[in-house]
Amino acid sequence: MRKRKRKISRYFFLLGTPSVGTSSVCHWCHVMAHESFEDEEVADYLNCHFIAIKVDKEERPDIDSIYMSVCQKITGSGGWPLTIIMLPDQNPFFAGTYFPKRSGNHMPGLLDLLEAVEEKWETGREDLIRTGKSITNSLKQELNREIRKGKLTKDLIKNAAHSLIVNFDKKYGGFGREPKFPTPHKLMFLLRAAYYEKNEEALEVVEKTLDSMYKGGIFDHIGYGFSRYSTDSMWMVPHFEKMLYDNGLLILTYLEAYQITKKIHYRQIAEMTMEYVLRELNLKEGGFYCAQDADSEGVEGKYYVFTPDEIIDLLGKEDGAYFNDYFGITSKGNFEGKSIPNRIYAEIKSGLSDRSSDKETEDTGNLFLNETKSSQTAGSNVLHALESKRITKLRKLILDYRIQRASLHKDDKILTSWNGIMIAAFAKAYKILRDDRYLQAARKADQFIQEHLGHKDRLYVYYRENSAKGAGHIDDYSFYCWALIELYEATLDIHYLERARRYTDVMIQKFMDREGGGFYLYAEDTEPLIHRPKELYDGAIPSGNSVVSYVLSKLAAYTGNTELIRAADKQMIYIAANIADYPSAHCFSLMAMMPVLYKTKELVCVLPDSTQVREVRELLSRYFLPDVTVLIKTKGNQEQLSGFAEFTGDYKINKEIPAYYLCENHTCRSPVQDIKEIEKLLIKSK
């Protein structure tokens, strides 16, 4: 918009978008910007009569949450672009989404709307003021409604798993009809339902969905990584932008699926996705960028699609025909006359086989191979279960060509919350795969947050152009604490848990609702708004309250601290009361509840030799054990550990012999001195 001609503080025009930096995340935001906000007539009118404000959801989720609730209350639905007209006291009196410049096709135009508001202000401003106050009071009443008492039961887990299984697409995986979103936290929950409840059907749902997503066009078979969602039921045609949070959550899910099933293709898909993240979204100083755009040269998907002739011209007739057949690149196409590379129609027998007539063993691309001995060495070249050597060579040629052919805009903000997800993913990758590259990436990103996005135990929302901005919200603190917990579980270095505890204390002090339960979206000592929301619903990513629940549950188990245990219990009761009607929409919260509802194991390893820590890490890398917490006590960390978990002070270190103390369901065994015996005890009830 052009510079306003004169300042009139009567009312504000607020436009909310999911990201100012990535226009294609919101197609109609882009359209409205072009039609109206880049239009001189609209700009002149807005600047003359309104104070125009543009809000990025990623930077100010508190403002977005409040006024999205207003839009839903007024119109019955919401979305972006979010159009709000409000008074200087922040009370809104109009809400909507997309508007064309002028009225037509039964849709009001933006200019007509603005002119009507201006006229109403002159002739009936008291009505607008009353409407604004009424809407704001209604939001506050919802917040202050009677507090419900919740009860933690396994029925919440069982009902959520049943609901997801009932809504499962048996043909193509995923849940419901198109558009289909990955929602990896639902799959992570089902993996735990399979573990705790011995629910084989839950595991089948996860595997079918993970396999189908990889085979579809939502996975970039040329450059790797996942797009945001699929516009069809079979995961063929994605909305092409790639988001940091989706890829982080999917890395976590594929890694856990690999750990449970030992199927090598899940490991490889996780590795492919991390290769993409490190190549395209990783800042060399550490930290991860937000997203890559869907458009190149103004055309959505142009970067990702090909014609058969294009491939043959590049690879030659024989290799080109083979590549086209392998990835379903046809003259008919599957997206606006061109083809998105995919493996959807690959025949599944013992594995995912090529469509070509090439019978070479190396080109069979078996999808369902189990882990092999040759792939268990950290850092080794894993058996190519998904890509043959021939396909890998050709794919790299196409990737180099694609990069030269067109470019993608990158949203270069570094968000604390989303970086927390990706740090957690790379930490988990190191824990399971024992590849130092992944630990280095996680540590560098963590160091970046410490140096650029944190100050005296407080966090900022994002970093861009050498500046950190925005007081951190509950998502920033909770997701970062989750990352620190994953770093601990990957390294068994207690200082990560100490730092997670410090930030958790900030959450309890500044965000917690001590009377009603739950955690507010923004802190009590930051800018006050008309409403202080709490978000519970898990959307594309888990809610801040879901992740807080998970963090409190973990830290309560690690520390045995009564204050943390009380905070965790209170949060669980609050969550249970508010999700009982629709538990499957709160899967990450249910993941936090599972260690409370089911038997758990606590292992304290008292080790005279710090080199024995490696044996414990290798043991934990082999098994999916969401019900186990592990603390390590050595001569080097005993004082530090006692300060964090006071109860560990009673465990004495023998100069020569290790001792493994295992407690299960509040009952402790006599110490064991052989790690192989502990391994048997940890997995015997699996």
Side-chain angles (χ1 to χ4, degrees), residues 605-619:
C605 307
V606 184
L607 307 176
D609 187 347
S610 59
T611 60
Q612 294 164 325
V613 175
R614 183 174 183 176
E615 293 180 342
V616 178
R617 289 201 298 256
E618 289 174 352
L619 166 61

Side-chain angles (χ1 to χ4, degrees), residues 530-547:
I530 60 168
H531 174 50
R532 202 174 175 205
K534 299 179 212 170
E535 293 192 339
L536 291 174
Y537 175 80
D538 291 341
I541 62 175
S543 71
N545 266 284
S546 291
V547 182

Side-chain angles (χ1 to χ4, degrees), residues 408-428:
L408 293 173
H409 170 76
K410 192 174 294 180
D411 186 343
D412 60 358
K413 292 193 301 297
I414 298 174
L415 292 171
T416 301
S417 57
W418 295 5
N419 269 256
I421 295 173
M422 193 56 76
I423 292 168
F426 274 92
K428 175 117 13 191

Side-chain angles (χ1 to χ4, degrees), residues 236-237 305-309 324 328-340 342 345:
M236 174 71 86
V237 179
V305 296
F306 301 91
T307 65
D309 289 345
N324 287 335
I329 299 171
T330 66
S331 57
K332 181 180 179 181
N334 53 40
F335 180 73
E336 299 179 356
K338 296 185 178 182
S339 293
I340 303 165
N342 70 91
Y345 297 109

